[in-house]
Amino acid sequence: MAGPTGTDRNEGLETTKEHAVSNDEKISPPLTELNINTTTGGFYNGFSIAVTVPAKIIISVIVVWAIFWPIQSGAILTGLNGFILQNFAAWYTWVVAFFIVVCLALAAWPAAGRLNLGLDDDQPEFTRFSWFSMMFGAGIGVGMLTWAVAEPVTHLGTTPESIMGLTTPGGADNVAMAFKWSFLHWGFSAWACYAVCGLSLAYFSYRRGLPLTIRSGLTPLFGQRLSGPLGHVIDIVAVVATILGVAQTLGFGVDQLVAGLGRIGIGGLADADGAATTTGIVVALLVIMGLSTLSALSGVGKGIKWLSNINMVLSIILLGFLIIFGATWFGFNAMFTGLWHYVVALPQMSVNVFRSDGVEGSEAFLLAQWQGWWPVFYWAWWIAFAPFVGLFLARISRGRTVREFVLGALIVPALMCFVWFSWAGGTAIDLEMNGSANGVIFDAANGDKIFAMTEFMLAPIGDWLAWGMAALIVVLLLTFLVTSADSAVLIVNTINAAGDEGPKSRPHVLFWGVALAMVVAGLLISGGTTAIQTAMVIGALPFSVVMALMAVALLKAIYNDTRREKAGVPSTHDKIEGVTGNDAPAGLSASSN
């Protein structure tokens, strides 16, 4: 709840931290009010200046630094990236494994699973189809169009198994390994990051009436202290991580959009190597951010919902084409073989950390390097993306149970990714391995591989069919990009407005739309997608700590709420009358969250 800080009411009370409760101490209702100062009137009406202004300054500094000092910024970012990959690979690996364990535990926990993400009689706002569509489109859609073909093809050449000599690089015995690692990067681990963040936000906002912002997920650990500087820092970290995480997605999307526009006859936007030129970057971003800003101004229930439904339908059409006319049996075999290897190896892959021996070119060095390029990069990407996707998932999931949310967010989108990778990547691999494609797909740039593959399949039938499929993919790509960008703008403004989901002032929507475009443009111009990847890996690190604390806080809160249910103590904000966690006697409220 935004408003005055209420420091005189809370001063001296031990409500900022929970402590262990003795067996004979009665558990009290939870904290249901978190006071965050917001401005009344003026340009920042309804916003928390302590969050909004520092976040804008940080993002503006990144933009100016990347554009005006590209060589210096590129060198510093590369050095920091190397340091993080060398020293925090294990942290990224293990924290994501922890998120998977938390999700599975909550889904399997009977008392926790039936709790409603809202009041007891709240019903879901969206149908399951729209819910899955928005979840999938915001979470992974853009990257999937790039990497569903490119990643299995790349892994076919190099996997940890091929580095260790267990399989043949580029050989048939490495196909299952290529899909196993692709499934790891885009499967349960990715969606566990989103689910932990989204579940935490939905639980504390809709059950307890706390602001729909990142800091609310830490109230069981820090209580009312989150009303002040500690909470501001957490929300600023979330905003910066969101912008960098979405910038990563848009960076890949810009390259692919330029490649697609070239396929449908709009040339001059890419260089001889297929990379987007500065003109191509500007044109692509103008189109993406122009459409996304218009959609953001219309809100979640209109523009974003309809765009999500459209890209889900187009995705089904494209996927159906690949399943029916692509390598149908090869894709089927790739999915189930890869899925078997993935599920069996998931526990080991989730916790294993390759350690370099420092000898360049050695097996240990190559394994550690590969892990930094792939799993660690992806874990940083999903964590940086989590405040955006998590808050968005929370926004569209009110009224669903904890178990429904976890299983829906963890399994259904992951299965969609498995299907996509199996038939899109499987078709590309089959066409190349049987010799018919003759390098047409393998030699194309990553963003252009899906266009090269569909053109190779359809051109012999008719050029107009190849053009039509390229146009469909371009439209699908645009809807994914616009959905991601406009959702990010709305989410950032929600965090800046202390969790207020209502309409935002147009200048702030426009600012963050422009800022996001400038971050992407600045980093692409200064160092290509590598610069964006580096900035994102760095920005994700502090938020990974926040997310780990959110997971611990969520477990603690749900455990205490199951105790309240047994004791007949209210745990939703509508049932708590007069006695809340922050004005109850100190000895009781310290146990309340």
Side-chain angles (χ1 to χ4, degrees):
M1 175 179 176
T5 57
T7 53
D8 51 347
R9 186 174 78 171
N10 296 302
E11 187 174 2
L13 294 181
E14 295 295 325
T15 60
T16 60
K17 187 191 299 184
E18 294 187 355
H19 59 71
V21 187
S22 62
N23 291 332
D24 59 345
E25 186 175 10
K26 183 178 179 181
I27 188 169
S28 65
L31 184 148
T32 56
E33 184 175 347
L34 187 62
N35 299 302
I36 305 172
N37 269 335
T38 56
T39 301
T40 302
F43 182 72
Y44 284 101
N45 181 40
F47 285 85
S48 170
I49 291 182
V51 175
T52 307
V53 173
K56 286 183 175 180
I57 290 173
I58 292 171
I59 295 301
S60 299
V61 168
I62 292 173
V63 170
V64 172
W65 185 44
I67 291 177
F68 291 99
W69 291 277
I71 297 176
Q72 179 196 55
S73 60
I76 292 176
L77 286 173
T78 300
L80 286 172
N81 184 56
F83 173 81
I84 288 175
L85 292 180
Q86 181 178 353
N87 295 279
F88 291 94
W91 164 253
Y92 273 124
T93 300
W94 294 335
V95 78
V96 171
F98 172 60
F99 296 151
I100 295 177
V101 171
V102 169
C103 288
L104 295 177
L106 290 175
W109 186 359
R114 64 173 177 265
L115 293 174
N116 194 318
L117 296 178
L119 308 182
D120 290 341
D121 57 352
D122 277 351
Q123 297 297 316
E125 178 182 357
F126 301 101
T127 65
R128 280 204 172 96
F129 180 82
S130 291
W131 185 49
F132 290 139
S133 298
M134 288 188 282
M135 185 167 22
F136 185 72
I140 283 185
V142 177
M144 182 197 65
L145 275 182
T146 301
W147 294 106
V149 175
E151 186 165 338
V153 165
T154 304
H155 290 333
L156 180 67
T158 307
T159 59
E161 288 79 9
S162 69
I163 293 173
M164 292 185 287
L166 302 176
T167 58
T168 307
D173 59 342
N174 205 33
V175 171
M177 299 302 102
F179 283 98
K180 179 184 82 171
W181 288 101
S182 298
F183 291 169
L184 173 70
H185 301 149
W186 294 81
F188 302 136
S189 300
W191 289 95
C193 296
Y194 302 155
V196 164
C197 192
L199 182 61
S200 173
L201 291 166
Y203 194 88
F204 291 105
S205 179
Y206 300 134
R207 279 189 68 85
R208 299 194 173 180
L210 297 174
L212 186 62
T213 185
I214 302 299
R215 71 178 80 185
S216 295
L218 300 179
T219 49
L221 303 180
F222 302 105
Q224 281 291 353
R225 279 187 290 179
L226 293 168
S227 296
L230 175 62
H232 301 333
V233 169
I234 289 168
D235 282 348
I236 291 168
V237 165
V239 169
V240 173
T242 298
I243 293 297
L244 294 177
V246 176
Q248 175 68 68
T249 296
L250 294 181
F252 285 137
V254 164
D255 272 351
Q256 190 165 34
L257 181 60
V258 168
L261 291 174
R263 293 281 179 175
I264 62 174
I266 305 175
L269 302 179
D271 58 24
D273 297 324
T277 62
T278 300
T279 301
I281 292 170
V282 171
V283 170
L285 286 174
L286 283 174
V287 173
I288 295 166
M289 299 314 301
L291 293 174
S292 66
T293 302
L294 291 174
S295 179
L297 290 171
S298 71
V300 174
K302 296 180 181 178
I304 296 176
K305 175 184 174 181
W306 283 106
L307 281 173
S308 297
N309 287 341
I310 290 170
N311 63 36
M312 179 60 83
V313 171
L314 293 179
S315 296
I316 292 171
I317 293 172
L318 178 57
L319 181 59
F321 164 77
L322 293 173
I323 291 175
I324 296 171
F325 299 102
T328 305
W329 173 247
F330 189 95
F332 183 86
N333 185 63
M335 178 173 176
F336 286 95
T337 305
L339 196 55
W340 167 257
H341 285 283
Y342 165 63
V343 172
V344 170
L346 181 59
Q348 186 268 340
M349 290 192 297
S350 296
V351 299
N352 182 56
V353 178
F354 294 116
R355 305 286 184 180
S356 174
D357 58 7
V359 180
E360 188 168 353
S362 69
E363 180 179 295
F365 177 88
L366 292 175
L367 288 170
Q369 184 182 61
W370 188 93
Q371 188 169 48
W373 284 347
W374 291 100
V376 174
F377 158 69
Y378 273 123
W379 301 163
W381 189 3
W382 306 147
I383 288 170
F385 220 41
F388 152 54
V389 181
L391 207 152
F392 186 74
L393 291 185
R395 168 65 184 83
I396 64 175
S397 300
R398 183 170 188 163
R400 301 192 183 274
T401 65
V402 169
R403 181 174 295 109
E404 183 182 14
F405 179 93
V406 170
L407 295 180
L410 195 66
I411 295 177
V412 176
L415 287 176
M416 279 293 294
C417 287
F418 299 155
V419 171
W420 258 100
F421 274 70
S422 297
W423 271 275
T427 297
I429 290 174
D430 184 56
L431 290 173
E432 289 286 5
M433 290 188 72
N434 67 27
S436 60
N438 196 28
V440 168
I441 303 170
F442 282 4
D443 295 340
N446 286 332
D448 195 34
K449 278 184 167 62
I450 191 169
F451 293 104
M453 180 180 71
T454 54
E455 182 175 294
F456 174 79
M457 295 169 64
L458 292 172
I461 303 174
D463 289 339
W464 64 274
L465 277 175
W467 185 93
M469 182 57 70
L472 183 147
I473 296 173
V474 166
V475 173
L476 176 59
L477 178 62
L478 264 177
T479 60
F480 275 135
L481 288 168
V482 171
T483 302
S484 296
D486 61 11
S487 300
V489 170
L490 289 175
I491 293 312
V492 165
N493 274 311
T494 298
I495 296 173
N496 288 335
D500 178 17
E501 301 176 64
K504 305 299 186 299
S505 175
R506 288 177 182 267
H508 297 285
V509 172
L510 294 172
F511 172 86
W512 286 110
V514 172
L516 182 55
M518 292 298 289
V519 168
V520 176
L523 292 173
L524 280 177
I525 292 169
S526 66
T529 54
T530 301
I532 300 181
Q533 292 173 24
T534 301
M536 182 270 300
V537 169
I538 296 168
L541 185 59
F543 191 69
S544 68
V545 177
V546 173
M547 275 190 63
L549 293 174
M550 289 174 74
V552 172
L554 181 63
L555 291 171
K556 184 177 184 181
I558 290 178
Y559 169 71
N560 281 332
D561 277 357
T562 59
R563 294 173 60 206
R564 290 187 181 93
E565 191 176 70
K566 291 180 180 178
V569 176
S571 60
T572 55
H573 64 90
D574 64 318
K575 295 180 180 178
I576 299 171
E577 299 178 358
V579 180
T580 60
N582 61 329
D583 59 7
L588 293 181
S589 65
S591 68
S592 62
N593 285 303

